[in-house]
Amino acid sequence: GAGVSQTPSNKVTEKGKYVELRCDPISGHTALYWYRQSLGQGPEFLIYFQGTGAADDSGLPNDRFFAVRPEGSVSTLKIQRTERGDSAVYLCASSLSSGYTDTQYFGPGTRLTVL
Amino acid sequence: SQKIEQNSEALNIQEGKTATLTCNYTNYSPAYLQWYRQDPGRGPVFLLLIRENEKEKRKERLKVTFDTTLKQSLFHITASQPADSATYLCALVSSGGGADGLTFGKGTHLIIQP
């Protein structure tokens, strides 16, 4: 079956612009996670959805970052007034539910470059 | 502060030998520890999960140990193959109720040389 997909695979933007990154989770997965991975680092947790609601957004670095999941499936990560420090790979993961042992399945990521 | 440490230097192992990767943590009380594999340009792929009350877990050529006294997990790949070359990440899930995002280490880059 299809895995987690993310679009676009690459996004180049200019400092100060607004970007949207999309995640299509595995069908039927109720939990969805966003992570950010900088070069040479492990993924860093940003936000987690259970269904349509953000259950934990403690990892969002500031109020320029926002994410939605209006119908409990596709999610969009939105970054306003992008800064060069936002350049990273943004990873999305989904899991069947939100239990401790539920495996998170990751997408290939969106590489964001802010010039 | 909370910290997860993995050897950030690349680990070179000869094909056929056992590769051992280390994950140390401080100021955590993990309920679970997971190991992931990540290839260049790809997202992490789940390999193994071990609970805090488990000492060891095996899956084919993979073995994970978890020592909550030493605050350390070891990840072993036996009979290593060049196809095992990748970055391996450990990730913690803290105890305390509810599901959270994973907290990852930086990963160790493993190179299996033919």
Side-chain angles (χ1 to χ4, degrees):
Chain A
V4 177
S5 63
Q6 293 186 245
T7 54
S9 55
N10 280 282
K11 176 71 176 178
V12 180
T13 190
E14 293 180 343
K15 179 173 178 286
K17 299 289 188 183
Y18 167 84
V19 296
E20 290 189 352
L21 312 179
R22 176 188 168 108
C23 172
D24 278 89
I26 293 172
S27 177
H29 280 194
T30 63
L32 185 146
Y33 304 80
W34 283 99
Y35 295 84
R36 177 169 70 174
Q37 187 172 26
S38 300
L39 192 63
Q41 304 293 315
E44 173 193 17
F45 169 73
L46 296 177
I47 185 170
Y48 147 62
F49 288 89
Q50 177 57 46
T52 59
D56 183 356
D57 65 357
S58 62
L60 294 177
N62 51 59
D63 60 6
R64 295 187 297 106
F65 289 75
F66 189 71
V68 296
R69 194 185 186 200
E71 297 178 358
S73 177
V74 170
S75 177
T76 305
L77 178 66
K78 307 180 181 193
I79 310 174
Q80 298 177 321
R81 304 183 304 280
T82 51
E83 299 178 356
R84 292 194 179 90
D86 298 335
S87 296
V89 175
Y90 289 81
L91 294 163
C92 174
S94 70
S95 61
L96 191 59
S97 64
S98 56
Y100 280 132
T101 59
D102 286 300
T103 299
Q104 293 188 24
Y105 296 86
F106 283 81
T110 293
R111 181 175 297 278
L112 175 66
T113 303
V114 182
L115 301 177
Chain B
S1 62
Q2 296 177 324
K3 192 186 277 191
I4 302 172
E5 292 183 345
Q6 294 186 257
N7 190 345
S8 59
E9 295 182 5
L11 182 62
N12 284 272
I13 300 292
Q14 192 170 8
E15 182 178 6
K17 303 290 186 184
T18 296
T20 298
L21 286 67
T22 304
C23 176
N24 294 298
Y25 59 91
T26 55
N27 296 325
Y28 273 107
S29 297
Y32 299 87
L33 188 146
Q34 303 184 13
W35 283 89
Y36 285 76
R37 170 184 173 139
Q38 188 172 26
D39 291 284
R42 312 290 286 270
V45 174
F46 171 78
L47 296 175
L48 279 169
L49 175 149
I50 188 165
R51 294 171 172 77
E52 61 180 336
N53 61 353
E54 296 177 318
K55 297 293 185 188
E56 183 179 297
K57 196 71 125 358
R58 291 175 184 261
K59 178 182 176 183
E60 298 172 351
R61 294 185 296 112
L62 308 181
K63 184 177 87 171
V64 171
T65 63
F66 193 11
D67 188 326
T68 55
T69 301
L70 291 179
K71 297 186 185 298
Q72 179 181 81
S73 175
L74 299 179
F75 176 81
H76 307 271
I77 305 175
T78 58
S80 59
Q81 305 166 1
D84 295 327
S85 299
T87 295
Y88 291 86
L89 300 156
C90 73
L92 300 182
V93 177
S94 293
S95 57
D100 300 300
L102 297 166
T103 302
F104 283 89
K106 290 184 179 182
T108 296
H109 184 42
L110 176 65
I111 301 168
I112 306 299
Q113 297 175 332

